[in-house]
Amino acid sequence: MNIVNIIKPLLISLFFLCTLIPLIPIISYDYHNHQRIIQIAFLLITSLLVLTAFLGNKKPAFKLSLNKVSSELYFIFIFSGCLSALISTEQSFSLLYTFHISLLTLTMYYVSTINDKKSILFIIYALLITHTSLILICLLNIIFTLSEQQPLNPYIIYSGFINIRFFNQVQVFILPFLVLLLKLKSIQRIVFIILFLNLLLIFIGQARGALLSFLVFSIFALALKTTLRKQVFIALVCLILSCITFYALDSLNKGGTEILRTSSSGRIDLWLNTLSNLSLKHLFIGNGPGVFEMSLGSSAPFSHPHNSIIEILNEWGLIALICILTAVCTTFKKAITHLKCHKKDIITESLFYSFAIGITYSLFSGVHVMPVSQTLLFIMWGLLLGRINKKSNQSLTINKYLKALIAILFVFTWYLYLQKAISIYNNIDPDKGYIYGPRFWSVGQRF
């Protein structure tokens, strides 16, 4: 393994370390902004490594781990975002967000070049270890809460995130890997306990979307009839035990929590209002990436609609939505075909489930918006593409003049991206409170 292949998993693991372990000192006034700053640094370093590899390649042919059709879909998606941003009423912020998504897409490409088993396992283990450290801190909070005879309050028990849903958004990516590790008999009991704690915390947080996503993943895994079926059944038993444990603990302190409450927390009204505001222009372009804002009654303005499809349609337009849905569906189709031909490839299977559960939860939450879960979504997508496209790499011929132009474009984009991100961050006054819901920064207000 050469130095480049060592840097890739180490860089990703460092991102997990800096964003998931709450004992590490934060570099901002709240966890969300700390995680966003780490994400920005990660994206810029990754794009710099891609540019270095691109310019350092003396051959005119540059290898792509993505096929031509997929590359064209991503290009049209980003181009639609740029057009939407240019006609947006908040042009500079919308361009910032478009550049941000572009860097995430570039990171996905960079990660897709990792396809060897050892590197992927290193990344998975790093993710699980860092996240488990967070779960253990939450366990201590549960013990302290019970010892003080207080109700199980997720706002007290959860740690490392400014919003309990941001915590759940990261959790869903972890669950398929815990199911994978249930195959290892030497650590099966430890993994079962960690899975149990994760599911118990989901019940404590009343994260119905996360529970639904986990059930969808379980049903899908059983339908595929792969080698993880036994482990999925064990996970479902663990789900039942965690549910019983939650109600038992909740009854001790008379918390009276209702997991299966019927309210939608305003999401359905938000979705219907957003869809009713669409016009003919949304067939081609949107209102501008990142600029969604809507209030329901006297509530604080929402900075995203809590649904990835509606958000892309509103902000990017129908053409961009069709492109990204086609790219996702193509990935799903290739992954299922790969798993049917390679039934013992449990690494690819767990990556597929992690990506699929993240996509599912994005239909109810801001998985695709918040810094850690957003990065995880693109990392899992990239790792999955690397596994299912190992034998379909294509070459792109680029001359030295085009290389120079691309390098200049990179530098210009970096400058605009950082300048606007820092400008907005400096204008935020946390003492005024979080009037606007989080989007890029923890205060979704745009200046």
Side-chain angles (χ1 to χ4, degrees):
M1 185 181 290
N2 59 39
I3 187 66
V4 175
N5 291 333
I6 294 174
I7 289 174
K8 292 174 185 177
L10 282 177
L11 180 61
I12 296 171
S13 302
L14 184 61
F15 171 79
F16 297 150
L17 179 71
C18 294
T19 55
L20 292 179
I21 299 182
L23 297 178
I24 292 178
I26 63 174
I27 54 179
S28 185
Y29 50 81
D30 63 35
Y31 280 114
H32 182 95
N33 288 341
H34 164 78
Q35 291 160 350
R36 184 68 78 189
I37 291 169
I38 298 297
Q39 183 198 35
I40 290 171
F42 172 71
L43 294 179
L44 291 178
I45 292 170
T46 301
S47 61
L48 181 61
L49 290 172
V50 172
L51 182 61
T52 302
F54 176 70
L55 296 177
N57 186 13
K58 296 180 180 180
K59 297 179 181 179
F62 187 72
K63 287 188 176 181
L64 291 172
S65 57
L66 308 176
N67 61 48
K68 184 179 179 181
V69 175
S70 296
S71 300
E72 289 174 349
L73 288 172
Y74 299 132
F75 176 79
I76 295 171
F77 175 74
I78 297 298
F79 183 72
S80 297
C82 289
L83 285 181
S84 300
L86 289 173
I87 66 160
S88 172
T89 55
E90 300 180 61
Q91 189 181 91
S92 60
F93 181 86
S94 192
L95 282 172
L96 159 71
Y97 202 78
T98 306
F99 293 157
H100 181 71
I101 299 299
S102 302
L103 289 174
L104 281 164
T105 306
L106 191 64
T107 297
M108 180 188 71
Y109 159 74
Y110 178 74
V111 172
S112 70
T113 60
I114 306 172
N115 52 38
D116 61 290
K117 183 178 178 180
K118 288 184 178 179
S119 295
I120 293 176
L121 283 175
F122 184 88
I123 293 169
I124 292 174
Y125 290 145
L127 175 60
L128 290 175
I129 291 169
T130 52
H131 187 262
T132 299
S133 69
L134 179 64
I135 296 300
L136 292 176
I137 291 172
C138 294
L139 174 61
L140 287 175
N141 292 335
I142 292 174
I143 294 171
F144 294 147
T145 299
L146 293 174
S147 65
E148 294 173 1
Q149 297 183 335
Q150 296 295 318
L152 295 172
N153 187 342
Y155 294 96
I156 296 173
I157 292 171
Y158 285 10
S159 182
F161 294 84
I162 65 169
N163 186 296
I164 60 173
R165 290 297 161 254
F166 304 170
F167 183 94
N168 300 136
Q169 289 161 12
V170 174
Q171 272 188 296
V172 295
F173 289 98
I174 310 295
L175 298 177
F177 297 125
L178 291 173
V179 173
L180 165 67
L181 292 183
L182 285 173
K183 287 187 73 73
L184 305 179
K185 292 186 178 181
S186 59
I187 59 170
Q188 192 177 64
R189 292 181 181 179
I190 297 173
V191 174
F192 185 87
I193 292 170
I194 296 170
L195 178 61
F196 170 80
L197 288 174
N198 269 282
L199 293 171
L200 177 61
L201 286 167
I202 288 176
F203 278 110
I204 290 173
Q206 304 173 54
R208 294 165 298 165
L211 285 173
L212 179 61
S213 300
F214 180 71
L215 289 173
V216 169
F217 143 69
S218 301
I219 294 169
F220 198 72
L222 293 173
L224 273 180
K225 298 180 180 180
T226 56
T227 55
L228 288 181
R229 290 186 73 195
K230 181 180 177 181
Q231 285 68 42
V232 172
F233 277 119
I234 295 173
L236 290 174
V237 171
C238 190
L239 177 69
I240 295 170
L241 289 175
S242 62
C243 180
I244 294 171
T245 303
F246 166 72
Y247 278 112
L249 294 176
D250 192 56
S251 63
L252 291 177
N253 297 314
K254 299 179 180 179
T257 305
E258 295 182 12
I259 288 294
L260 299 177
R261 65 187 193 279
T262 55
S263 69
S264 65
S265 302
R267 281 171 170 73
I268 293 178
D269 291 334
L270 188 65
W271 298 342
L272 292 176
N273 286 349
T274 304
L275 291 173
S276 66
N277 289 334
L278 296 178
S279 61
L280 286 176
K281 81 163 188 177
H282 288 92
L283 293 174
F284 306 99
I285 54 176
N287 295 331
V291 302
F292 179 89
E293 184 180 308
M294 182 175 289
S295 295
L296 296 177
S298 59
S299 67
F302 289 94
S303 294
H304 63 95
H306 295 79
N307 181 291
S308 53
I309 292 177
I310 293 176
E311 181 182 310
I312 295 170
L313 180 60
N314 177 269
E315 295 185 348
W316 299 68
L318 182 61
I319 293 175
L321 177 62
I322 291 172
C323 288
I324 203 67
L325 285 178
T326 303
V328 171
C329 290
T330 301
T331 303
F332 272 47
K333 182 180 178 181
K334 284 187 174 182
I336 293 171
T337 302
H338 175 90
L339 292 174
K340 285 182 178 179
C341 298
H342 306 84
K343 292 189 175 182
K344 294 184 178 180
D345 188 359
I346 57 175
I347 293 177
T348 303
E349 185 177 358
S350 60
L351 289 171
F352 171 55
Y353 294 148
S354 183
F355 174 62
I357 200 172
I359 290 291
T360 304
Y361 197 29
S362 76
L363 300 176
F364 315 103
S365 189
V367 169
H368 54 291
V369 173
M370 303 311 158
V372 182
S373 57
Q374 184 185 62
T375 311
L376 272 170
L377 184 65
F378 280 85
I379 286 175
M380 294 309 156
W381 197 355
L383 289 174
L384 179 60
L385 287 172
R387 293 291 291 179
I388 63 178
N389 290 331
K390 279 196 292 186
K391 297 180 180 180
S392 60
N393 289 353
Q394 295 187 358
S395 295
L396 181 67
T397 302
I398 301 174
N399 61 44
K400 59 182 182 181
Y401 300 108
L402 186 55
K403 278 188 176 183
L405 181 61
I406 291 173
I408 294 169
L409 186 62
F410 258 84
V411 174
F412 181 67
T413 302
W414 285 337
Y415 170 76
L416 292 178
Y417 176 67
L418 280 174
Q419 188 272 334
K420 186 61 181 177
I422 294 170
S423 173
I424 297 172
Y425 180 81
N426 288 335
N427 284 327
I428 294 173
D429 184 1
D431 293 332
K432 291 183 178 179
Y434 296 82
I435 300 171
Y436 291 77
R439 186 65 191 252
F440 191 81
W441 297 115
S442 57
V443 178
Q445 186 176 3
R446 301 175 290 276
F447 299 90

